[in-house]
Amino acid sequence: MAGINLTPSDTSTFILMGISGLESAHEWISIPFCISYIIGLLGNVTFLFVVGKEQTLHKPMYLLFCMLSLTDIATSTLVVPKALCIFWFNLKDITVGGCLTQMFFLHTISIMQSAVLVIMAFDRYVAICSPLRYASILTNGRIAKLGLVGFLRAVLFILPLPLLLSRQPFCANHIIPNTYCEHITVVKMSCGDITVNKMYGLVIAFVVIGLDLPLIVLSYGLIIRAVLRIPSTKAHQKALNTCTAHMFVMLMYYTPGLFFILTNRFGQGIAPYIHIILSNLYLFLPPMLNPFIYGVKSKELRDKVGKYTCRS
């Protein structure tokens, strides 16, 4: 019978090493992790509370923001608490089942976020290019249905990843040089034929980005063309101002994500801890900044938040 002690070679356990190469700095690294998680959690929960309480904010645009806030909370909660356990208490063990589950939810949420960003771009396109038809085209019910389609797409795309990996034999060395279980990292630990796993993961990444990103660029290209046809400079500024927050959020999601995917597969000369830091920034930086971006760009939202936070 197998021993009951959990070791790095135990077939039921992986070892998450944190930020490999910077182990001596883990306590210092934990500070921005913890602060960003608390700020992001408070900001997103506050946003959801205010939108839920205020009937005037029950609009498609704020419903989309709520979807993004929920995915932000889920993403950071899946990663940061475990990372802090590694940094503070040296609790590095994670079961194979737990690792595959974390991987499934993280990648599902990531694709869901991409779908929400596409819907947000379409929302701004209709609001600026067909404002008189906006209320009839984008109702709350239709936004909810589009969100559900995006969620189902994410689940169907990602579900094969943990199923394929669960059939793979893993080598004796179960050490993962990261704070969480990411698909390509877990794939590389297998002793079996990983060609299908690697190809499927790469295809999914490029299909999602190759489909969603062009749709977003097309939407904003049409928006800019429509805005430039408006004779009033003030109208130009007002129209573009409504899109600035969305564009900034999209840059935060896609730029680090694309860079991480490309460097992880083709940037062999880059130090390993650079890959790990980038992958973590990609997961916990947007959840911290998004509520502030919405608040700065939406006076209506600022006023409602102030109504609750400034009560005596």
Side-chain angles (χ1 to χ4, degrees), residues 122-192:
F122 180 64
D123 170 81
R124 290 301 86 198
Y125 165 74
V126 176
I128 292 172
C129 298
S130 300
L132 298 179
R133 300 175 59 200
Y134 180 84
S136 60
I137 294 175
L138 288 174
T139 62
N140 286 347
R142 192 160 292 168
I143 291 294
K145 289 176 183 177
L146 288 172
L148 179 60
V149 170
F151 175 72
L152 292 175
R153 180 191 74 154
V155 170
L156 292 174
F157 277 6
I158 297 300
L159 189 58
L161 294 180
L163 293 179
L164 287 169
L165 276 172
S166 66
R167 301 168 63 88
Q168 286 285 343
F170 291 104
C171 302
N173 184 4
H174 282 193
I175 295 175
I176 299 177
N178 207 332
T179 59
Y180 66 94
C181 295
E182 197 270 335
H183 176 251
I184 192 63
T185 306
V186 179
V187 165
K188 290 176 180 178
M189 297 170 61
S190 173
C191 297

Side-chain angles (χ1 to χ4, degrees), residues 79-110:
V79 173
V80 178
K82 179 59 180 178
L84 294 178
C85 286
I86 296 169
F87 296 152
W88 291 343
F89 310 114
N90 206 34
L91 298 176
K92 299 179 178 181
D93 292 351
I94 184 170
T95 64
V96 173
C99 185
L100 296 181
T101 300
Q102 184 190 51
M103 183 192 74
F104 168 75
F105 281 110
L106 279 175
H107 289 297
T108 297
I109 292 167
S110 179

Side-chain angles (χ1 to χ4, degrees), residues 24-270:
S24 60
H26 273 178
E27 290 186 2
W28 290 105
I29 295 171
S30 70
I31 296 173
F33 268 68
C34 186
I35 291 173
S36 66
Y37 178 61
I38 292 171
I39 292 173
L41 196 61
L42 289 175
N44 283 293
V45 168
T46 300
F47 177 82
L48 291 170
F49 172 78
V50 172
V51 172
K53 293 285 286 185
E54 292 293 329
Q55 290 291 328
T56 57
L57 297 181
H58 292 180
K59 303 173 183 178
M61 181 175 70
Y62 292 108
L63 181 57
L64 287 167
F65 284 159
C66 285
M67 290 182 189
L68 206 58
S69 286
L70 288 171
T71 61
D72 283 342
I73 291 171
T75 299
S76 55
T77 301
L78 280 167
V79 173
V80 178
K82 179 59 180 178
L84 294 178
C85 286
I86 296 169
F87 296 152
W88 291 343
F89 310 114
N90 206 34
L91 298 176
K92 299 179 178 181
D93 292 351
I94 184 170
T95 64
V96 173
C99 185
L100 296 181
T101 300
Q102 184 190 51
M103 183 192 74
F104 168 75
F105 281 110
L106 279 175
H107 289 297
T108 297
I109 292 167
S110 179
I111 293 182
M112 177 63 189
Q113 286 170 335
S114 185
V116 172
L117 294 176
V118 172
I119 302 169
M120 288 170 68
F122 180 64
D123 170 81
R124 290 301 86 198
Y125 165 74
V126 176
I128 292 172
C129 298
S130 300
L132 298 179
R133 300 175 59 200
Y134 180 84
S136 60
I137 294 175
L138 288 174
T139 62
N140 286 347
R142 192 160 292 168
I143 291 294
K145 289 176 183 177
L146 288 172
L148 179 60
V149 170
F151 175 72
L152 292 175
R153 180 191 74 154
V155 170
L156 292 174
F157 277 6
I158 297 300
L159 189 58
L161 294 180
L163 293 179
L164 287 169
L165 276 172
S166 66
R167 301 168 63 88
Q168 286 285 343
F170 291 104
C171 302
N173 184 4
H174 282 193
I175 295 175
I176 299 177
N178 207 332
T179 59
Y180 66 94
C181 295
E182 197 270 335
H183 176 251
I184 192 63
T185 306
V186 179
V187 165
K188 290 176 180 178
M189 297 170 61
S190 173
C191 297
D193 184 1
I194 59 173
T195 304
V196 174
N197 300 73
K198 290 180 71 175
M199 288 303 299
Y200 184 76
L202 195 61
V203 167
I204 288 298
F206 280 102
V207 164
V208 171
I209 295 175
L211 177 64
D212 293 356
L213 201 53
L215 287 174
I216 291 171
V217 171
L218 176 63
S219 296
Y220 281 101
L222 294 172
I223 289 170
I224 291 171
R225 187 183 70 172
V227 168
L228 292 176
R229 291 178 177 176
I230 302 174
S232 169
T233 304
K234 187 176 180 180
H236 280 184
Q237 185 177 0
K238 183 178 179 182
L240 290 175
N241 190 54
T242 63
C243 299
T244 306
H246 300 263
M247 295 174 73
F248 192 78
V249 168
M250 289 167 192
L251 285 172
M252 280 200 307
Y253 275 103
Y254 285 113
T255 305
L258 279 169
F259 188 73
F260 172 66
I261 290 170
L262 294 174
T263 56
N264 203 22
R265 287 169 170 81
F266 309 114
Q268 284 77 15
I270 299 175

